[in-house]
């Protein structure tokens, strides 16, 4: 069992690791959903995202702890019954699109930084994901948690360097108290844009001893998930108007900062988050297959983890090679509405009612934990 307060933090670290993905590599997501609302408006929108994430994560983790459903399939069967397949269809579609995006991002990053062919970055990313998923639950939790500490350290250093040079600009943007219309809806959109992954992270709360612990894990997950976005938004205050107008917002900050070593460090850390994102999505699919085989045959062979991971990354590479950027851009919005319909709404209604009825539930007679 994880010691002390660590077990409350690990779900948040894993959630943050999977949410970040490649979106922070350019800063485009932070610009689109937050920075365009002004610095004060962006902070308010981010607060909305934090609250939504914390509430949904808290209810989801409490549901998993109460009914011992530590993979997304088991949870959705309990929540949706025969309609549980609807969530799985949305999840697999999202996973394939995300894998396509992170493969394409990894290829571009390696090519721009080293001059090597983009396929080198894709291959390295895929090998790391397969090895990490195959290593098992404990290895995934440790790796994603450790990298989250590294990520926070680098982001904090990044903000410190920016603030030392452009602290006056950042304070000036905050002093404007600029709040553009639509900040609330923007915060909600960004929150729902990333919520579909939460049921895929239930293995992180297997050691929660009570509903209260699970709720605390969920509340902290929202805070931990937002923190890197907050640091990046503040750094954008060095020249907010130029950042908002740029196609590559992060490039504007580094042009002002003029520190090549920091740019390399930043990109290396972000490459690690691509590995984390791919691992998080495939790990959940791997758990789903493992639990299904355990229910049907009583056990799951160890080589199945590697087989599922290899198959998933192979399909992900194929998606990135097809150049489906337009389809991906449209598909994200559609699938997010799908997750809202088949996950968020049932959770807030049926799930909350089930939790209310089972305040002191007895353990299920037969349940399968995700293997360590």
């Amino acid at each position: 069992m994880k010691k002390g307060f660590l077990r409350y933090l690990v779900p948040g670290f894993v959630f943050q690791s999977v949410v970040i993905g490649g979106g922070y590599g350019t800063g485009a997501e932070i610009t689109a959903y937050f920075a365009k609302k002004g610095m004060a408006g962006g902070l308010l929108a981010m607060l909305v995202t934090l609250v939504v994430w914390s509430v949904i994560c808290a209810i989801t983790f409490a549901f998993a702890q109460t009914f011992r459903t530590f993979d997304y399939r088991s949870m959705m069967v309990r929540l949706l019954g025969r309609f549980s397949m609807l969530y799985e269809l949305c999840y697999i579609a999202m996973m394939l699109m995300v894998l396509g995006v992170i493969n394409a991002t990894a290829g571009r990053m390696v090519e721009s930084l080293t001059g090597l062919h983009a396929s080198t970055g894709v291959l390295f990313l895929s090998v790391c994901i397969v090895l990490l998923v195959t290593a098992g639950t404990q290895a995934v939790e440790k790796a994603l948690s450790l990298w989250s500490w590294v990520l926070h350290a680098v982001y904090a250093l990044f903000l410190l360097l920016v603030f030392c040079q452009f602290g006056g600009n950042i304070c000036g943007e905050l002093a404007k108290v600029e709040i553009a219309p639509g900040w609330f809806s923007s915060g909600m959109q960004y929150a729902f844009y990333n919520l579909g992954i939460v049921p895929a992270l239930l293995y992180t709360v297997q050691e929660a001893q009570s509903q209260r612990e699970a709720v605390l894990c969920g509340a902290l997950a929202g805070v931990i998930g937002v923190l890197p976005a907050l640091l990046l938004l503040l750094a954008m205050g060095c020249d907010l108007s130029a950042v908002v107008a740029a196609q590559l917002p992060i490039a504007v900050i580094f042009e002002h900062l003029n520190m090549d070593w920091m740019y390399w460090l930043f990109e290396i850390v972000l490459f690690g988050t691509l590995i984390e994102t791919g691992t998080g999505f495939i790990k959940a699919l791997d758990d789903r297959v493992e639990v299904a085989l355990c229910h049907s045959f009583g056990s799951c062979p160890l080589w199945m983890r590697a087989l599922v991971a290899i198959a998933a990354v192979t399909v992900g590479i194929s998606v990135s090679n097809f150049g489906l950027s337009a389809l991906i851009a449209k598909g994200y919005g559609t699938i997010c509405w799908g997750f809202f319909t088949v996950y968020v709404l049932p959770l807030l209604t049926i799930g909350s009612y089930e939790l209310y009825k089972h305040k002191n539930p007895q353990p299920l007679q037969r349940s399968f934990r995700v293997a360590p």
Side-chain angles (χ1 to χ4, degrees):
M1 180 176 291
K2 306 177 192 70
K3 295 182 180 180
F5 199 65
L6 181 62
R7 70 174 185 269
Y8 298 106
L9 299 179
V10 167
F13 287 148
V14 176
F15 172 67
Q16 176 203 81
S17 300
V18 178
V19 163
I20 287 178
Y24 283 31
T26 63
E29 285 185 358
I30 306 304
T31 300
Y33 289 97
F34 303 111
K36 287 185 177 180
K37 305 304 177 183
M39 187 60 73
L43 292 175
L44 287 174
M46 206 164 281
L47 179 61
V48 172
T49 297
L50 185 154
V51 171
V52 173
W53 280 356
S54 292
V55 170
I56 299 301
C57 286
I59 298 175
T60 302
F61 292 168
F63 191 94
Q65 192 280 332
T66 299
F67 300 110
R68 319 307 294 168
T69 54
F70 297 119
D71 67 286
Y72 72 78
R73 171 64 175 170
S74 300
M75 176 180 174
M76 289 302 155
V77 167
R78 176 80 194 202
L79 186 63
L80 300 176
R82 60 182 178 179
F83 298 106
S84 60
M85 186 60 68
L86 295 176
Y87 174 86
E88 188 153 35
L89 292 175
C90 290
Y91 180 81
I92 292 175
M94 176 66 87
M95 181 189 72
L96 294 179
M97 286 193 293
V98 168
L99 290 176
V101 169
I102 65 172
N103 275 299
T105 303
R108 287 196 299 267
M109 288 176 66
V110 169
E111 191 171 30
S112 63
L113 288 173
T114 66
L116 297 174
H117 194 273
S119 60
T120 305
V122 174
L123 179 61
F124 182 70
L125 176 77
S126 300
V127 170
C128 289
I129 290 173
V130 171
L131 291 176
L132 196 52
V133 172
T134 305
T137 300
Q138 292 181 2
V140 170
E141 288 184 347
K142 289 179 181 179
L144 269 60
S145 298
L146 176 61
W147 201 253
S148 289
W149 287 111
V150 174
L151 177 74
H152 281 125
V154 171
Y155 265 64
L157 176 61
F158 174 56
L159 178 61
L160 178 63
L161 294 173
V162 172
F163 195 84
C164 287
Q165 292 194 31
F166 309 103
N169 295 357
I170 296 173
C171 292
E173 288 292 342
L174 290 170
K176 291 179 183 177
V177 195
E178 181 184 356
I179 304 175
W183 59 268
F184 182 82
S185 61
S186 185
M188 293 289 287
Q189 288 173 6
Y190 189 73
F192 289 131
Y193 172 74
N194 291 283
L195 277 178
I197 187 61
V198 177
L201 310 177
L202 300 179
Y203 60 89
T204 62
V205 291
Q206 289 185 107
E207 294 180 1
Q209 300 299 300
S210 64
Q211 285 187 10
R212 181 175 296 180
E213 284 192 11
V215 168
L216 181 56
C217 289
L220 289 173
V223 177
I224 295 172
V226 160
L227 189 55
L230 172 62
L231 297 177
L232 186 54
L233 175 63
L234 291 174
M236 289 178 174
C238 69
D239 191 354
L240 191 60
S241 58
V243 167
V244 169
Q247 290 185 343
L248 295 175
I250 199 70
V252 175
I253 304 176
F254 280 106
E255 285 176 8
H256 285 65
L257 196 59
N258 194 26
M259 292 182 179
D260 290 340
W261 65 270
M262 186 66 216
Y263 177 71
W264 272 80
L265 181 61
F266 193 86
E267 290 297 298
I268 289 171
V269 169
L270 288 174
F271 192 91
T273 67
L274 299 181
I275 298 173
E276 292 181 312
T277 298
T279 299
F281 272 93
I282 296 175
K283 174 69 170 65
L285 180 64
D286 190 273
D287 290 345
R288 186 260 187 269
V289 173
E290 181 177 333
V291 171
L293 290 176
C294 286
H295 274 288
S296 299
F297 304 106
S299 64
C300 176
L302 294 178
W303 52 262
M304 185 59 67
R305 284 179 178 172
L307 181 62
V308 172
I310 292 171
V313 297
T314 301
V315 176
I317 293 172
S318 301
V319 171
S320 66
N321 288 335
F322 281 129
L324 301 177
S325 56
L327 178 61
I328 288 172
K330 295 179 181 178
Y332 269 127
T334 302
I335 292 176
C336 287
W337 277 110
F339 280 130
F340 180 75
T341 303
V342 303
Y343 162 51
V344 176
L345 284 181
L347 179 73
L348 293 176
T349 53
I350 301 171
S352 297
Y353 178 68
E354 288 289 316
L355 285 174
Y356 177 77
K357 288 197 309 180
H358 297 79
K359 292 182 178 179
N360 297 296
Q362 297 297 320
L364 298 181
Q365 291 184 351
R366 183 183 184 190
S367 63
F368 292 91
R369 289 168 59 91
V370 175

